Amino acid sequence: MSSMVVTANGNDSKKFKGEDKMDGAPSRVLHIRKLPGEVTETEVIALGLPFGKVTNILMLKGKNQAFLELATEEAAITMVNYYSAVTPHLRNQPIYIQYSNHKELKTDNTLNQRAQAVLQAVTAVQTANTPLSGTTVSESAVTPAQSPVLRIIIDNMYYPVTLDVLHQIFSKFGAVLKIITFTKNNQFQALLQYGDPVNAQQAKLALDGQNIYNACCTLRIDFSKLVNLNVKYNNDKSRDYTRPDLPSGDGQPALDPAIAAAFAKETSLLGLPVAAVPGALSPLAIPNAAAAAAAAAAGRVGMPGVSAGGNTVLLVSNLNEEMVTPQSLFTLFGVYGDVQRVKILYNKKDSALIQMADGNQSQLAMNHLNGQKMYGKIIRVTLSKHQTVQLPREGLDDQGLTKDFGNSPLHRFKKPGSKNFQNIFPPSATLHLSNIPPSVAEEDLRTLFANTGGTVKAFKFFQDHKMALLQMATVEEAIQALIDLHNYNLGENHHLRVSFSKSTI
């Protein structure tokens, strides 16, 4: 059994030759490379925490590397397998994890004192003891946990984060009893209560500063001053997991357990692998993608990050074949992602293949558009087994049934961090209009929208008159109006932008 002793200079390079082999035999010692310069022991330990107990750590600061020892080989294997599908990031920088040739770490404690102190503090938290007396813990010290309640703020929220997603992430660290979500100062926040302050401590240590999805939805976590949450309703804003009998309140549907179970079953049959798209998820990648996707489907929220096997191609069926065109499908599906190609099937014109820019977008479009009415027919949207939509061969006329929209100027999500990411809502009777020129009045817009064959029920300009809300009689009429009038030229070089709104007038 090769063990390793660190000599006086703390980073004896001769000992680490041959450590870059990707395919070493499994070992409970992991070799981590390409660490950011200022990374702390706590951050490295946190990588291992969700997989099991971390028993030793050695930082090679000069080489931007570290060795992390887990209690069991099994935990190390789970961790390596997980991070081979999902590139781990520390401080927004990708890092690399592989098995070490060493079977255990024997560190010289005088040299590695600081790392040991941090490790002891973390372990103390893990085993529910208070930090060991007499241990001097450096700046990443773990203070005794005050409250079992965490206050969570989510920064850079380009994708919706649901209560179920939070429950899933935080459950890794212990039983979550209650969650309340709310918006304050334009920021999505949550209060989350564990049964034991130790779990809250562990979760804060491992998750604070991490991204839920790649490069966005950053968690900021503090202890709350509250020690107990009072939850009155079980719905998609608040939940008391100890009292399934609570009413749903304010007209929100409670999640019927039978429906939830059916969703979970149905979705696991789809076999959604975790992160089939490497890098689609950050370290917090939700472990059980099927359950997350089920929760998402139940909440009609697309699950960014949980890409259904990375499927970018959707199969849309039961279309109105007299009316449907590649352009109309491009416009409607473009509300939920950047449509690359559309192909109406030559021998089955009530069906079409739609290729989105990534798996997240196809998932969003499927969750929001399956079961909606387009040109009088309820459309079905599922993931296709095709990887791409083929264009017709050169010189072959397919009657305009296939169209490539790859270079369209109308993509809504091309710019990373675009406001459009925050304004993804299910189809609704109320439409949000923007880019209205000053000369266009309410009457002009009412007439324009009435001409799409529906009834305009209400209209309201925003203060600056560049934007407005317009309500049609039904969701189907609003879908039709969006297809007909998104990018409509209103003159003065203004093309109307139309999207679904979550507001009502």
Side-chain angles (χ1 to χ4, degrees), residues 378-457:
I378 291 177
I379 63 171
R380 291 277 154 245
V381 186
T382 56
L383 294 169
S384 161
K385 51 184 187 301
H386 293 281
Q387 294 305 303
T388 56
V389 169
Q390 298 295 324
L391 292 174
R393 286 196 299 282
E394 279 296 312
L396 191 76
D397 176 28
D398 80 337
Q399 304 169 3
L401 293 176
T402 308
K403 209 159 169 207
D404 186 355
F405 293 97
N407 296 321
S408 166
L410 295 185
H411 287 156
R412 296 177 189 238
F413 305 102
K414 263 278 193 311
K415 284 212 305 269
S418 146
K419 267 219 183 69
N420 292 335
F421 281 107
Q422 295 158 52
N423 294 320
I424 297 176
F425 302 113
S428 61
T430 309
L431 297 168
H432 180 276
L433 317 182
S434 59
N435 207 25
I436 303 168
S439 60
V440 171
E442 172 175 340
E443 214 31 64
D444 305 321
L445 290 166
R446 280 179 173 267
T447 307
L448 183 65
F449 277 78
N451 287 344
T452 62
T455 309
V456 177
K457 301 269 289 202

Side-chain angles (χ1 to χ4, degrees), residues 36 47 52 74 88 101 120 142 145 159 176 198 213 250 253 260 273 281 329-330 332 337 358-359 398 438 480:
L47 287 168
E74 193 182 19
N101 299 338
Q120 282 180 323
V142 181
Y159 289 115
V176 173
V198 170
Y213 303 125
D250 60 38
L281 294 156
L329 289 168
F330 166 78
L332 179 58
D358 64 41
D398 80 337
Q480 181 65 53

Side-chain angles (χ1 to χ4, degrees), residues 22 30-33 42-52 54 68 70 75-90 93-99 172-173 206-207 210-211 274-275 277-287:
M22 276 315 288
L30 300 177
H31 181 208
I32 304 174
R33 297 175 299 135
T42 311
E43 289 171 277
V44 177
I45 293 169
L47 287 168
L49 279 183
F51 303 94
V54 176
L68 192 68
L70 279 86
I77 292 170
T78 313
M79 180 166 162
V80 168
N81 289 349
Y82 179 68
Y83 285 132
S84 61
V86 176
T87 309
H89 285 71
L90 278 181
Q93 194 174 307
I95 57 171
Y96 299 90
I97 299 180
Q98 67 207 50
Y99 299 116
K172 275 190 195 167
F173 299 92
L207 299 177
Q210 299 269 24
N211 293 334
V274 176
V277 184
L281 294 156
S282 69
L284 297 190
I286 293 159

